[in-house]
Amino acid sequence: MIGIFDSGVGGMTVARAIEKNLPGRRLVYFGDLARTPYGSKSARTIRKYALENSEFLLQKGAEIIVIACNSAASVASGMLRDKLPVPVFEVVTPAVRQVVSMGSRGRIGIIGTRATIKSQIYEDKIKKLRPDFQVFGQPCPLLVPLVEEGWLNKRETKMIIRRYLHSLKLKNIDTLVLGCTHYPLLKKLIQSRIGRQIRVIDSSRAIAAELAVFLQKHPNLVKILSSAGENEYYVSDVTEAAQATAERIFGRRINLQLRQGKDNA
Ligand code: DGL
């Protein structure tokens, strides 16, 4: 079973991409809605939550962990790889590999939460592979709440996107990374604002593609990955907005189950 966690329902963009790339594999998802957002929290707190979320997924039978939250991937992936007894994947590295593997003039924009941009994870990873590239980060803290409110095509959302992307436009970037799980839902608006000629990389799709390749190369792991049974979607709080966002992402009814634990026993 593939265990996926995020700070909320945004990581379902990753779950959906994995579902498409790996049909028939069983998924268990956990969205930490009671403690979202992670993007404005300290690295220490995000690491603590990431470990708790992973332990929950392991209890549910996860044989692989996917960190489907850029903020958690930015600050907690090393720690989780050290502590967990299963392979750990995260959304940042595959997106970085896409950035460097496709033709680029080396002017890269990254948009994400404050935690992701502050960690400079994308910049560090890109520069390790391509020291000649220039990377420009732009935190976009208002976009997550707009997605959660379902304001996907409102005038206000367009205005805020325009404001956030303005400095990246001035930097004359040729590639833009959507470094947050919620942003794929705004991809059309972002693409039209930044310009059709700019390559937009969706970190959710990048991880799904990389996981599929990894499993092809590790048939032994595929044998033990259980696939029987329904996918399960757990959250630490159930709200109507989350239910609506989940259904918007999957395009079907999703049964959000409340995780039973100390915070909601
Ligand atoms: N899932 C988070 C991310 O990708 C966005 C929401 C949050 O700030 O918790 O960074």
Side-chain angles (χ1 to χ4, degrees):
M1 186 155 30
I2 300 173
I4 305 171
F5 79 82
D6 178 41
S7 56
V9 287
M12 287 183 174
T13 55
V14 175
R16 177 158 158 73
I18 291 178
E19 209 182 73
K20 277 193 169 169
N21 272 38
L22 292 164
R25 293 276 147 240
R26 189 165 166 215
L27 310 183
V28 55
Y29 182 91
F30 176 66
D32 198 4
L33 276 166
R35 302 190 290 197
T36 200
Y38 283 9
S40 47
K41 297 203 165 58
S42 70
R44 188 163 171 265
T45 298
I46 299 172
R47 277 197 278 273
K48 175 177 175 286
Y49 293 172
L51 186 59
E52 290 171 5
N53 300 343
S54 304
E55 283 167 350
F56 171 72
L57 292 172
L58 293 179
Q59 269 172 34
K60 288 281 160 198
E63 293 130 332
I64 285 181
I65 297 286
V66 177
I67 312 173
C69 172
N70 280 261
S71 307
S74 300
V75 299
S77 41
M79 179 270 294
L80 290 185
R81 286 202 176 101
D82 288 346
K83 294 206 171 178
L84 301 182
V86 297
V88 175
F89 288 83
E90 40 77 25
V91 277
V92 174
T93 309
V96 166
R97 276 199 262 271
Q98 275 199 7
V99 168
V100 300
S101 69
M102 294 159 143
S104 162
R105 284 187 284 106
R107 298 188 69 81
I108 317 297
I110 312 289
I111 53 174
T113 64
R114 285 210 175 93
T116 299
I117 300 303
K118 187 162 170 249
S119 76
Q120 297 206 323
I121 181 119
Y122 277 99
E123 181 164 8
D124 292 350
K125 283 183 181 275
I126 291 170
K127 288 213 164 234
K128 214 168 172 182
L129 298 169
R130 289 297 303 259
D132 54 320
F133 276 21
Q134 281 193 281
V135 183
F136 308 98
Q138 172 65 52
C140 304
L142 293 175
L143 297 188
V144 167
L146 287 169
V147 169
E148 283 177 357
E149 278 303 311
W151 283 31
L152 301 183
N153 209 12
K154 298 251 186 202
R155 200 162 54 91
E156 292 81 353
T157 308
K158 290 180 190 165
M159 275 166 49
I160 290 168
I161 288 176
R162 185 176 317 131
R163 181 84 184 256
Y164 281 145
L165 295 184
H166 181 67
S167 63
L168 294 177
K169 275 189 93 118
L170 294 180
K171 299 276 191 259
N172 196 16
I173 58 167
D174 61 80
T175 304
L176 177 68
V177 179
L178 306 183
C180 174
T181 50
H182 287 61
Y183 301 173
L185 290 156
L186 297 170
K187 189 171 176 184
K188 275 196 190 140
L189 291 190
I190 291 171
Q191 180 81 68
S192 82
R193 183 59 210 152
I194 197 70
R196 295 278 153 218
Q197 73 287 5
I198 308 298
R199 195 161 47 111
V200 173
I201 293 181
D202 174 345
S203 56
S204 321
R205 288 196 186 182
I207 169 77
E210 185 153 318
L211 190 57
V213 171
F214 175 84
L215 291 178
Q216 266 167 22
K217 288 188 186 157
H218 295 83
N220 291 346
L221 186 56
V222 176
K223 267 186 224 149
I224 63 157
L225 268 185
S226 48
S227 45
E230 293 288 308
N231 293 347
E232 290 167 31
Y233 305 92
Y234 292 94
V235 285
S236 49
D237 190 22
V238 181
T239 63
E240 276 172 27
Q243 187 71 52
T245 308
E247 289 174 14
R248 194 173 303 120
I249 291 170
F250 281 96
R252 63 170 197 263
R253 164 122 192 95
I254 293 290
N255 176 26
L256 292 182
Q257 303 186 59
L258 191 61
R259 174 189 72 175
Q260 292 307 323
K262 54 186 178 319
D263 46 335
N264 45 25

